[in-house]
């Protein structure tokens, strides 16, 4: 059975995409279509703030893109040297809070130690941070995207934990998205499942998928990588067949397998009851 993943591919130099690999182990043929493009902004301001760890109580990351912004900064030799010689060690005396495993691995790549990676979403990460930070302490630096949700900032503000947000990237639709979706549906047909990985993915893809699927859209089991994406899907009128328990390849594959197994069981029962008539 075919599964369509609406997400960016993993970096080519870091091996096969874990979602394609895991779904393959479960017997699914997964295809990945990039949905989003990112434009990095305010990188000068970002490094200026990273140059003064003494002004902050720690770091917060809820997106791999925020780490990509830091990596772009560190490509400059002078900045990389400053980071390696002293800044990295100084930041390592403070917490680097992360929302999940993908973000945690990128934090480790820049030499920091992540905390909170089992949170899985902004709500749980906010709880984790509030359980460890004292009210009115030094602000946490939060590099984020222009489309960030207010769940985490609001939760921290209510508990008196200061947070300083800095927008370091903007999200737009991938230039090849419509063409890629049209090619997939014409060559592969209707997939058994379509997986959304972000609210932006729902916004940019749904109309195209509805048009390409036509009357067959009810055959598709729609899956979400997490509760935030599931909420966006429900708001757009998409029935959510499964939401991964945590944003990992293993939990997503297990959820899709369960959803499709239940569908097959229902179809088998329907066929059986028709045969008895």
């Amino acid at each position: 059975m075919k599964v369509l993943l609406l997400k960016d591919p993993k970096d080519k130099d870091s091996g096969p995409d874990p979602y394609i690999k895991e779904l393959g182990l479960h017997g699914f043929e997964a295809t990945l279509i990039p949905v989003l493009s990112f434009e990095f902004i305010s990188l000068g301001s970002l490094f200026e703030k990273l140059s003064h760890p003494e002004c902050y109580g720690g770091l917060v990351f809820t997106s791999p893109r925020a780490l990509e912004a830091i990596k772009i900064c560190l490509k400059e030799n002078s900045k990389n040297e400053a980071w390696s010689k002293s800044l990295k060690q100084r930041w390592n005396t403070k917490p680097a809070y992360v929302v999940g495993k993908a973000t945690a691995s990128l934090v480790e790549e820049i030499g920091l130690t992540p905390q909170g990676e089992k949170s899985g979403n902004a709500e749980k990460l906010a709880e984790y941070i509030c359980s460890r930070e004292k009210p009115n302490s030094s602000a946490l630096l939060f590099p984020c995207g222009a489309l960030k949700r207010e769940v985490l900032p609001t939760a921290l503000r209510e508990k008196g934990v200061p947070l300083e947000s800095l927008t370091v990237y903007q999200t737009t639709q991938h230039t090849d998205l419509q063409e890629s979706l049209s090619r997939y549906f014409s060559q592969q047909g209707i997939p058994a499942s379509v997986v959304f990985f972000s609210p932006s993915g729902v916004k940019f893809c749904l109309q195209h998928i509805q048009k390409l699927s036509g009357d067959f859209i009810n055959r598709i089991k729609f899956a979400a990588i997490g509760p935030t994406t599931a909420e966006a899907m429900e708001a757009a009128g998409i029935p959510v067949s499964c939401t991964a328990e945590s944003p990992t390849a293993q939990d997503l594959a297990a959820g899709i397998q369960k959803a499709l197994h239940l569908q097959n069981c229902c179809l088998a029962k329907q066929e059986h009851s028709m045969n008895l008539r």
Side-chain angles (χ1 to χ4, degrees), residues 111-127:
L112 302 181
T113 304
Q115 294 184 28
E117 65 184 79
K118 292 183 180 176
S119 302
N121 60 55
E123 289 87 345
K124 289 180 181 175
L125 179 60
E127 288 174 17

Side-chain angles (χ1 to χ4, degrees), residues 143-155:
C144 56
L147 298 178
K148 78 174 190 305
R149 292 171 73 232
E150 291 301 317
V151 171
L152 187 138
T154 301

Side-chain angles (χ1 to χ4, degrees), residues 107-169:
V107 165
E108 288 170 347
E109 283 179 22
I110 62 168
L112 302 181
T113 304
Q115 294 184 28
E117 65 184 79
K118 292 183 180 176
S119 302
N121 60 55
E123 289 87 345
K124 289 180 181 175
L125 179 60
E127 288 174 17
Y128 182 88
I129 292 171
C130 290
S131 72
R132 282 158 176 75
E133 294 292 325
K134 294 177 182 175
N136 304 315
S137 52
S138 297
L140 300 170
L141 180 59
F142 179 34
C144 56
L147 298 178
K148 78 174 190 305
R149 292 171 73 232
E150 291 301 317
V151 171
L152 187 138
T154 301
L156 266 57
R157 187 165 58 247
E158 287 173 354
K159 296 288 186 180
V161 177
L163 186 74
E164 185 179 317
S165 302
L166 177 67
T167 301
V168 295
Y169 67 92

Side-chain angles (χ1 to χ4, degrees), residues 68-82:
E68 284 178 36
I70 292 178
K71 282 182 158 186
I72 292 169
C73 288
L74 298 182
K75 282 181 180 176
E76 285 185 36
N77 287 338
S78 59
K79 291 175 180 175
N80 199 338
E81 194 175 339

Side-chain angles (χ1 to χ4, degrees), residues 18-19 22 100-102 197 225 244-254:
Y19 290 91
E22 187 66 30
K101 289 183 179 178
F197 282 75
I225 193 59
E245 285 189 19
S246 68
T248 64
Q250 291 79 8
D251 281 348
L252 178 67

